[in-house]
Amino acid sequence: MKNKKMNKPSSENESDSEEELSPETHKKSLEKLKKIDPDFYNFLEENDENLLNFEDDSADDASDKDEDDKTHIPGPITGDSDESDFEDEGAKPVQGRVTLKMVAQWQAELQGDGKIKLKSLTTIIKVFNAAMLRATSDDGTTEGEFKVEGSSVFNAVIQMCVLYLPAAIKKYLGMEQSGKDPQKCKHFIKIKGPLVAYLKDLLKLLGGITSDNILTVLLKHLHQMSVYVACFNSISKQALKKLIILWSNSEETVRVLAFLCILRITRNQQAALLNLVLKAMYLTYVKNCKFVSPSTWPGINFMRRSLVEMFTLDLNVAYHHVFLYIRQLAIHLRNAIVVQKIENRQAVYNWQFVNSLHLWADLISATSNKPQLQPLLYPLVMVITHTIKLVPTHQYYPLRFHCVEILINLSKESDTFIPVLPFLVEVLTTYDFNKKHKKVSMKPLDFSCVLRLAKSQLAENGFKDSVIDRVYGLLLEYMANQSYSIAFPDLSLLAIIQIKQFLKTCSVSNYTKRLRQLLEKIEENSKFIEKERAKVSFALNDEKMVAAWEARIKTKGTPLLTFFESWNKVNKIQKRKKITKNDEIAGELPMIKRPKIMETEDKVPKPENKGPLVLFPSDSEGEEDNFKLGEEEEEVEKPKKVKTKKKANKKKENKKETKAEINVPDKGDVVQDFSVRDW
């Protein structure tokens, strides 16, 4: 009872304290204070405003408390970090977020034996779009139905679409067995919209990747999807634009895959796209063959061969392009002939012009069995021959050899006689090979990547060696191609006369030896043809009988042809070795040849009576570029120049040697300047 009585006042005190602490009672007491003691109230108002604004502070505290309660509510973290790759099974799923489990389910649907639903295809395409937006957006955020977060999920989505989506679309359209046009399928209208969106995203992804390995995978996927790309004209043009860039500038496998995609897309929509593709590819080819080097030759050759294949798709369409571009080359050549100016000459004597001639010659050679492009053979040959005659000087011998090589191949493939011999024999008669060279070069000059030679290169002995090599090889190839002709003894007469004249005038044994061997082979072959021709009973104007006789001789074999085949095998092996050696040299770091360094002054060699002391031997080999002597070193070397021809000057030599010995400390300084630590 006592405890109960004691508890009552405590509860009353608590209630009283709560009333006292309440804002209403506090406000009433402040109003009373204002009436009773206004001076004290003014003092509080000036110095302690928080006491008077008690209600506002309590309201702010309550709101802060509510905000704190809100911010500390636990929830799933959706940041794009590396931890997002590892999924927490216990975490609540975020709406629209793609997980690996979802990707696995979609992949199972695509691989399943059952019927593919349109909803699942559109969902997968939307997820691919979300992945693309995630990869291309600046801040990494996406606004859409799905969100792809984490690298593992992104890779899984791309892998699923690349590997399994083309087969699933075929299955949905019913194109698994019959290779009919997708536009004729009854379900194509339903999937048309999602398919356009997917192809646009795929092209975006293709344009933003630089890795060759990933590009090969995506190009293989695009090659599978090219059937659907051809259904949409705008997407086809976008795809071809990007593919032509890859075809001209990328790594070898990427180039090949890009060309296969171009070929397949163009074939599926040939009437609408062929003209645009041929023009764009030719301009890209000309743009990328401006500079030629051993490393760029394979790419230029690939572009030329693939362009020939594209032009052969429709020769009637190709004729207009080929005629227009050969006419353009002829106009440049005419301007250079009529207006003798350097800029007009440079418009012809460049790699773009020569590679264009090479392209059209290859195209006419490849279509020699079809009549559409054969009328363009004569104008092309005239352009090539007048290109040689434009500036027939020694400096442009490399360009002459390139043009002659084009004519030889064109004559062989088209089975047409082209007079090439005068351009080769002219080299032997116009240049004086007995003239002594002013410079010595260790190797012959390589004409494969050169059109014009500098005047300093003409003074080297390697120039004459290279010219004889090219004349020998091209003469042998041309005569071997004509070796089974019934008119070979008459064709070879000019070559025999000019080679005999060269052998009389030239005194260089290395050159005469090679051309004498060639002369013997040509004479042997002409005797062989004369013997076979003596057995002929038909008239020479009977073209069919002449063609049959030449075919029989060709299958039987001629002495010159068998010699050329064996020589050509060896020559190709030597060219491959040169290419591989050049690649190895290009991969190595430049080496500086340094003289041996003497560690102490005692080991410095004293000058002998045989000749002067040489710090840097074999200056003729080009080491003067690697080392430049200072003023002090030049002073050391000046007194070393001694004439040792006469024995009477030995005393003078000894005096000069003593002067050189006095400057030994300077030599020691030179050795210290070239110490190993300084390099």
Side-chain angles (χ1 to χ4, degrees):
M1 291 295 292
K2 288 181 181 180
N3 294 330
K4 289 179 181 179
K5 289 179 180 178
M6 291 294 292
N7 291 333
K8 285 181 180 178
S10 63
S11 61
E12 289 174 0
N13 292 331
E14 288 176 1
S15 61
D16 292 337
S17 64
E18 288 175 3
E19 289 177 0
E20 287 175 0
L21 293 172
S22 64
E24 294 178 358
T25 55
H26 183 68
K27 194 174 182 181
K28 288 178 182 179
S29 60
L30 288 174
E31 288 177 358
K32 288 179 182 180
L33 180 64
K34 187 177 181 182
K35 292 177 182 178
I36 296 169
D37 195 351
D39 296 331
F40 182 65
Y41 184 82
N42 292 331
F43 175 78
L44 290 174
E45 192 174 15
E46 292 175 1
N47 296 317
D48 196 359
E49 292 182 0
N50 293 330
L51 184 64
L52 299 177
N53 298 328
F54 178 76
E55 185 177 6
D56 297 336
D57 293 341
S58 63
D60 292 339
D61 293 339
S63 64
D64 292 341
K65 190 175 181 181
D66 294 338
E67 288 178 2
D68 292 340
D69 292 341
K70 288 179 182 178
T71 55
H72 290 293
I73 294 172
I77 298 170
T78 59
D80 186 21
S81 63
D82 293 336
E83 294 177 356
S84 61
D85 294 344
F86 303 98
E87 297 175 0
D88 187 7
E89 295 180 357
K92 293 181 180 178
V94 180
Q95 186 177 4
R97 181 181 175 183
V98 179
T99 61
L100 292 173
K101 288 184 179 179
M102 296 167 68
V103 175
Q105 289 176 359
W106 291 326
Q107 186 172 322
E109 289 180 12
L110 294 178
Q111 289 180 283
D113 296 331
K115 192 175 181 181
I116 302 293
K117 295 181 180 179
L118 178 64
K119 187 177 180 181
S120 60
L121 289 176
T122 52
T123 304
I124 290 166
I125 291 170
K126 285 179 182 178
V127 171
F128 183 80
N129 182 32
M132 278 303 307
L133 291 173
R134 170 68 188 83
T136 55
S137 62
D138 296 330
D139 54 353
T141 58
T142 57
E143 294 181 0
E145 188 177 345
F146 295 98
K147 292 180 181 179
V148 176
E149 296 175 353
S151 58
S152 62
V153 179
F154 179 84
N155 292 335
V157 170
I158 300 297
Q159 186 177 357
M160 173 185 65
C161 294
V162 167
L163 295 178
Y164 306 110
L165 191 61
I169 294 172
K170 271 189 177 182
K171 191 175 181 182
Y172 175 75
L173 293 173
M175 295 172 56
E176 288 178 311
Q177 295 179 353
S178 61
K180 59 181 179 180
D181 187 6
Q183 292 176 317
K184 294 180 181 179
C185 299
K186 62 178 182 179
H187 296 301
F188 182 76
I189 299 171
K190 297 179 182 178
I191 203 173
K192 185 177 179 181
L195 198 58
V196 170
Y198 178 76
L199 293 173
K200 286 182 178 179
D201 291 334
L202 183 61
L203 292 178
K204 281 182 186 177
L205 184 63
L206 197 66
I209 285 173
T210 55
S211 173
D212 293 332
N213 295 327
I214 300 173
L215 274 174
T216 52
V217 174
L218 290 177
L219 286 172
K220 286 177 182 177
H221 176 56
L222 184 63
H223 187 260
Q224 292 176 322
M225 300 294 292
S226 57
V227 181
Y228 312 112
V229 173
C231 298
F232 312 104
N233 200 11
S234 60
I235 295 175
S236 298
K237 290 178 181 178
Q238 292 176 20
L240 289 169
K241 190 176 180 181
K242 291 183 179 180
L243 288 169
I244 288 171
I245 294 170
L246 294 173
W247 167 74
S248 62
N249 291 324
S250 301
E251 188 260 338
E252 185 178 356
T253 53
V254 176
R255 284 184 172 208
V256 174
L257 288 168
F259 171 68
L260 291 175
C261 293
I262 292 169
L263 186 62
R264 194 169 186 185
I265 292 169
T266 309
R267 274 181 174 172
N268 288 327
Q269 209 172 352
Q270 190 165 314
L273 296 176
L274 185 59
N275 273 311
L276 297 172
V277 171
L278 292 178
K279 185 177 180 181
M281 289 181 77
Y282 175 70
L283 294 176
T284 307
Y285 168 75
V286 172
K287 184 181 177 182
N288 286 277
C289 67
K290 189 174 183 180
F291 303 104
V292 171
S293 65
S295 59
T296 58
W297 259 128
I300 293 170
N301 289 334
F302 169 73
M303 283 194 289
R304 185 171 65 248
R305 288 167 188 155
S306 53
L307 253 178
V308 168
E309 189 171 349
M310 291 299 297
F311 275 102
T312 53
L313 289 177
D314 190 345
L315 293 178
N316 294 319
V317 174
Y319 178 84
H320 299 286
H321 291 275
V322 180
F323 174 81
L324 181 68
Y325 293 128
I326 291 177
R327 182 175 175 272
Q328 193 175 10
L329 296 175
I331 290 169
H332 285 301
L333 180 61
R334 184 191 63 187
N335 293 336
I337 294 170
V338 174
V339 184
Q340 294 288 337
K341 289 185 179 180
I342 296 173
E343 53 269 20
N344 293 325
R345 197 182 305 155
Q346 287 176 348
V348 175
Y349 279 10
N350 59 69
W351 275 115
Q352 290 175 315
F353 193 92
V354 173
N355 282 320
S356 297
L357 294 176
H358 209 328
L359 170 66
W360 304 131
D362 285 358
L363 178 60
I364 292 173
S365 300
T367 58
S368 58
N369 56 345
K370 296 177 182 178
Q372 285 91 340
L373 298 181
Q374 293 311 304
L376 299 174
L377 175 62
Y378 178 75
L380 179 63
V381 171
M382 293 301 294
V383 170
I384 296 171
T385 53
H386 283 85
T387 302
I388 298 171
K389 294 176 183 178
L390 181 61
V391 186
T393 58
H394 311 321
Q395 282 184 301
Y396 289 101
Y397 276 172
L399 182 136
R400 175 189 291 256
F401 294 142
H402 283 293
C403 292
V404 166
E405 193 173 1
I406 293 170
L407 290 174
I408 289 172
N409 292 329
L410 187 59
S411 175
K412 180 184 175 183
E413 298 297 330
S414 62
D415 198 16
T416 306
F417 173 73
I418 299 173
V420 177
L421 276 179
F423 302 115
L424 292 172
V425 173
E426 186 183 358
V427 176
L428 298 175
T429 56
T430 56
Y431 188 79
D432 185 11
F433 288 91
N434 294 321
K435 186 169 61 176
K436 291 184 178 180
H437 51 268
K438 296 178 182 178
K439 292 183 180 180
V440 178
S441 58
M442 299 301 293
K443 294 181 181 179
L445 295 173
D446 187 12
F447 291 163
S448 61
C449 302
V450 180
L451 291 178
R452 180 182 178 274
L453 294 171
K455 290 183 179 179
S456 60
Q457 290 175 312
L458 296 176
E460 297 179 7
N461 64 332
F463 167 71
K464 293 188 288 185
D465 296 341
S466 298
V467 169
I468 291 295
D469 285 342
R470 292 297 289 158
V471 169
Y472 176 84
L474 292 172
L475 266 175
L476 178 60
E477 184 178 0
Y478 180 72
M479 299 308 291
N481 293 337
Q482 301 292 333
S483 62
Y484 55 87
S485 173
I486 198 168
F488 181 81
D490 310 307
L491 291 174
S492 61
L493 184 62
L494 174 64
I496 291 169
I497 293 170
Q498 295 294 341
I499 292 172
K500 284 182 178 179
Q501 186 179 353
F502 173 79
L503 293 174
K504 287 179 182 178
T505 56
C506 183
S507 60
V508 183
S509 60
N510 289 333
Y511 305 155
T512 55
K513 183 179 178 182
R514 300 195 68 184
L515 288 174
R516 188 173 284 110
Q517 182 192 30
L518 179 61
L519 179 62
E520 290 172 359
K521 295 295 178 183
I522 292 172
E523 288 178 340
E524 181 186 355
N525 196 84
S526 62
K527 289 177 182 178
F528 170 77
I529 295 295
E530 283 176 354
K531 284 182 181 179
E532 294 291 329
R533 197 167 60 177
K535 303 174 185 177
V536 169
S537 58
F538 54 84
L540 291 176
N541 59 358
D542 191 351
E543 294 182 359
K544 290 183 179 179
M545 294 299 293
V546 169
W549 184 87
E550 288 180 348
R552 183 175 63 82
I553 296 295
K554 187 177 180 180
T555 53
K556 184 180 179 181
T558 60
L560 190 58
L561 191 60
T562 52
F563 175 74
F564 169 72
E565 287 173 355
S566 61
W567 174 86
N568 196 30
K569 287 179 182 178
V570 177
N571 190 39
K572 284 181 178 178
I573 292 168
Q574 288 176 353
K575 282 183 179 179
R576 287 171 188 168
K577 284 182 180 179
K578 283 182 182 179
I579 292 168
T580 52
K581 283 182 182 178
N582 288 336
D583 292 339
E584 288 172 6
I585 291 167
E588 292 177 0
L589 291 171
M591 300 295 291
I592 299 173
K593 295 181 180 179
R594 295 193 290 271
K596 293 183 179 179
I597 299 163
M598 305 301 174
E599 295 179 357
T600 60
E601 292 182 3
D602 298 335
K603 294 183 180 179
V604 176
K606 294 182 180 180
E608 299 177 359
N609 294 330
K610 293 180 181 178
L613 175 66
V614 182
L615 282 176
F616 306 107
S618 66
D619 288 336
S620 62
E621 294 179 4
E623 290 186 1
E624 57 190 3
D625 297 332
N626 296 333
F627 297 102
K628 292 183 179 179
L629 298 176
E631 293 179 358
E632 295 179 357
E633 296 167 12
E634 288 177 358
E635 290 176 2
V636 174
E637 287 190 347
K638 281 179 183 177
K640 294 177 194 172
K641 296 180 180 178
V642 183
K643 295 182 180 179
T644 59
K645 292 182 180 179
K646 296 181 180 180
K647 295 180 181 180
N649 294 330
K650 282 187 178 180
K651 293 181 181 180
K652 293 180 181 180
E653 290 175 6
N654 294 330
K655 288 180 181 179
K656 290 179 181 180
E657 287 171 5
T658 54
K659 287 181 181 179
E661 286 176 0
I662 293 168
N663 294 325
V664 169
D666 293 334
K667 294 177 186 176
D669 293 338
V670 172
V671 174
Q672 288 178 0
D673 289 341
F674 290 99
S675 64
V676 179
R677 295 177 183 176
D678 294 337
W679 289 99

mmCIF file of all heavy atoms in Angstrom, residues 289-304:
data_model
loop_
_atom_site.group_PDB
_atom_site.id
_atom_site.type_symbol
_atom_site.label_atom_id
_atom_site.label_comp_id
_atom_site.label_asym_id
_atom_site.label_seq_id
_atom_site.Cartn_x
_atom_site.Cartn_y
_atom_site.Cartn_z
ATOM 1 N N CYS A 289 46.613 3.039 -102.077
ATOM 2 C CA CYS A 289 47.809 2.548 -102.774
ATOM 3 C C CYS A 289 48.724 3.691 -103.177
ATOM 4 O O CYS A 289 49.516 3.573 -104.113
ATOM 5 C CB CYS A 289 47.428 1.715 -103.990
ATOM 6 S SG CYS A 289 46.638 2.651 -105.306
ATOM 7 N N LYS A 290 48.632 4.802 -102.464
ATOM 8 C CA LYS A 290 49.453 5.970 -102.771
ATOM 9 C C LYS A 290 50.914 5.732 -102.415
ATOM 10 O O LYS A 290 51.819 6.205 -103.091
ATOM 11 C CB LYS A 290 48.911 7.179 -102.010
ATOM 12 C CG LYS A 290 49.542 8.495 -102.400
ATOM 13 C CD LYS A 290 48.851 9.650 -101.698
ATOM 14 C CE LYS A 290 49.436 10.985 -102.153
ATOM 15 N NZ LYS A 290 48.766 12.120 -101.472
ATOM 16 N N PHE A 291 51.141 5.013 -101.312
ATOM 17 C CA PHE A 291 52.494 4.723 -100.852
ATOM 18 C C PHE A 291 52.698 3.211 -100.844
ATOM 19 O O PHE A 291 51.837 2.478 -100.350
ATOM 20 C CB PHE A 291 52.727 5.290 -99.452
ATOM 21 C CG PHE A 291 52.497 6.772 -99.365
ATOM 22 C CD1 PHE A 291 51.345 7.270 -98.788
ATOM 23 C CD2 PHE A 291 53.422 7.656 -99.881
ATOM 24 C CE1 PHE A 291 51.119 8.632 -98.717
ATOM 25 C CE2 PHE A 291 53.211 9.027 -99.818
ATOM 26 C CZ PHE A 291 52.057 9.518 -99.236
ATOM 27 N N VAL A 292 53.833 2.783 -101.396
ATOM 28 C CA VAL A 292 54.114 1.353 -101.537
ATOM 29 C C VAL A 292 55.404 1.031 -100.805
ATOM 30 O O VAL A 292 56.400 1.746 -100.915
ATOM 31 C CB VAL A 292 54.245 0.977 -103.034
ATOM 32 C CG1 VAL A 292 54.739 -0.446 -103.191
ATOM 33 C CG2 VAL A 292 52.908 1.146 -103.729
ATOM 34 N N SER A 293 55.361 -0.057 -100.033
ATOM 35 C CA SER A 293 56.535 -0.556 -99.310
ATOM 36 C C SER A 293 56.399 -2.073 -99.212
ATOM 37 O O SER A 293 55.325 -2.621 -99.500
ATOM 38 C CB SER A 293 56.613 0.081 -97.920
ATOM 39 O OG SER A 293 55.520 -0.319 -97.125
ATOM 40 N N PRO A 294 57.453 -2.782 -98.827
ATOM 41 C CA PRO A 294 57.325 -4.243 -98.688
ATOM 42 C C PRO A 294 56.214 -4.677 -97.734
ATOM 43 O O PRO A 294 55.630 -5.741 -97.921
ATOM 44 C CB PRO A 294 58.705 -4.662 -98.156
ATOM 45 C CG PRO A 294 59.646 -3.619 -98.648
ATOM 46 C CD PRO A 294 58.870 -2.341 -98.648
ATOM 47 N N SER A 295 55.905 -3.849 -96.740
ATOM 48 C CA SER A 295 54.847 -4.217 -95.787
ATOM 49 C C SER A 295 53.448 -3.948 -96.338
ATOM 50 O O SER A 295 52.486 -4.621 -95.954
ATOM 51 C CB SER A 295 55.039 -3.450 -94.475
ATOM 52 O OG SER A 295 55.003 -2.057 -94.709
ATOM 53 N N THR A 296 53.296 -2.960 -97.235
ATOM 54 C CA THR A 296 51.973 -2.639 -97.783
ATOM 55 C C THR A 296 51.634 -3.406 -99.063
ATOM 56 O O THR A 296 50.466 -3.423 -99.459
ATOM 57 C CB THR A 296 51.873 -1.131 -98.075
ATOM 58 O OG1 THR A 296 52.919 -0.757 -98.992
ATOM 59 C CG2 THR A 296 52.014 -0.329 -96.793
ATOM 60 N N TRP A 297 52.625 -4.023 -99.707
ATOM 61 C CA TRP A 297 52.352 -4.753 -100.952
ATOM 62 C C TRP A 297 51.302 -5.845 -100.789
ATOM 63 O O TRP A 297 50.413 -5.972 -101.640
ATOM 64 C CB TRP A 297 53.651 -5.355 -101.507
ATOM 65 C CG TRP A 297 54.269 -4.602 -102.640
ATOM 66 C CD1 TRP A 297 55.547 -4.178 -102.736
ATOM 67 C CD2 TRP A 297 53.641 -4.178 -103.867
ATOM 68 N NE1 TRP A 297 55.762 -3.512 -103.923
ATOM 69 C CE2 TRP A 297 54.609 -3.502 -104.636
ATOM 70 C CE3 TRP A 297 52.353 -4.306 -104.377
ATOM 71 C CZ2 TRP A 297 54.335 -2.956 -105.885
ATOM 72 C CZ3 TRP A 297 52.080 -3.756 -105.629
ATOM 73 C CH2 TRP A 297 53.057 -3.099 -106.358
ATOM 74 N N PRO A 298 51.360 -6.699 -99.741
ATOM 75 C CA PRO A 298 50.321 -7.746 -99.611
ATOM 76 C C PRO A 298 48.909 -7.183 -99.519
ATOM 77 O O PRO A 298 47.981 -7.727 -100.126
ATOM 78 C CB PRO A 298 50.719 -8.474 -98.323
ATOM 79 C CG PRO A 298 52.175 -8.216 -98.157
ATOM 80 C CD PRO A 298 52.407 -6.852 -98.705
ATOM 81 N N GLY A 299 48.734 -6.082 -98.785
ATOM 82 C CA GLY A 299 47.410 -5.472 -98.675
ATOM 83 C C GLY A 299 46.924 -4.911 -99.996
ATOM 84 O O GLY A 299 45.741 -5.051 -100.349
ATOM 85 N N ILE A 300 47.822 -4.274 -100.759
ATOM 86 C CA ILE A 300 47.439 -3.721 -102.067
ATOM 87 C C ILE A 300 47.090 -4.842 -103.036
ATOM 88 O O ILE A 300 46.110 -4.743 -103.795
ATOM 89 C CB ILE A 300 48.586 -2.844 -102.612
ATOM 90 C CG1 ILE A 300 48.763 -1.597 -101.738
ATOM 91 C CG2 ILE A 300 48.319 -2.439 -104.054
ATOM 92 C CD1 ILE A 300 50.000 -0.789 -102.044
ATOM 93 N N ASN A 301 47.860 -5.909 -103.029
ATOM 94 C CA ASN A 301 47.560 -7.060 -103.905
ATOM 95 C C ASN A 301 46.216 -7.689 -103.558
ATOM 96 O O ASN A 301 45.450 -8.075 -104.454
ATOM 97 C CB ASN A 301 48.673 -8.102 -103.792
ATOM 98 C CG ASN A 301 49.965 -7.642 -104.435
ATOM 99 O OD1 ASN A 301 49.961 -6.827 -105.351
ATOM 100 N ND2 ASN A 301 51.089 -8.134 -103.945
ATOM 101 N N PHE A 302 45.923 -7.795 -102.254
ATOM 102 C CA PHE A 302 44.632 -8.361 -101.841
ATOM 103 C C PHE A 302 43.476 -7.472 -102.299
ATOM 104 O O PHE A 302 42.455 -7.974 -102.810
ATOM 105 C CB PHE A 302 44.590 -8.526 -100.326
ATOM 106 C CG PHE A 302 43.222 -8.844 -99.794
ATOM 107 C CD1 PHE A 302 42.670 -10.096 -99.976
ATOM 108 C CD2 PHE A 302 42.481 -7.876 -99.125
ATOM 109 C CE1 PHE A 302 41.394 -10.386 -99.506
ATOM 110 C CE2 PHE A 302 41.221 -8.158 -98.649
ATOM 111 C CZ PHE A 302 40.674 -9.415 -98.837
ATOM 112 N N MET A 303 43.615 -6.166 -102.133
ATOM 113 C CA MET A 303 42.550 -5.250 -102.568
ATOM 114 C C MET A 303 42.339 -5.346 -104.078
ATOM 115 O O MET A 303 41.189 -5.330 -104.555
ATOM 116 C CB MET A 303 42.902 -3.814 -102.175
ATOM 117 C CG MET A 303 42.685 -3.496 -100.707
ATOM 118 S SD MET A 303 42.727 -1.731 -100.351
ATOM 119 C CE MET A 303 44.462 -1.382 -100.579
ATOM 120 N N ARG A 304 43.426 -5.457 -104.828
ATOM 121 C CA ARG A 304 43.308 -5.540 -106.285
ATOM 122 C C ARG A 304 42.591 -6.822 -106.705
ATOM 123 O O ARG A 304 41.687 -6.787 -107.550
ATOM 124 C CB ARG A 304 44.702 -5.455 -106.909
ATOM 125 C CG ARG A 304 44.682 -5.403 -108.422
ATOM 126 C CD ARG A 304 46.041 -5.106 -109.013
ATOM 127 N NE ARG A 304 46.996 -6.177 -108.734
ATOM 128 C CZ ARG A 304 48.045 -6.052 -107.948
ATOM 129 N NH1 ARG A 304 48.289 -4.918 -107.323
ATOM 130 N NH2 ARG A 304 48.873 -7.058 -107.738
#
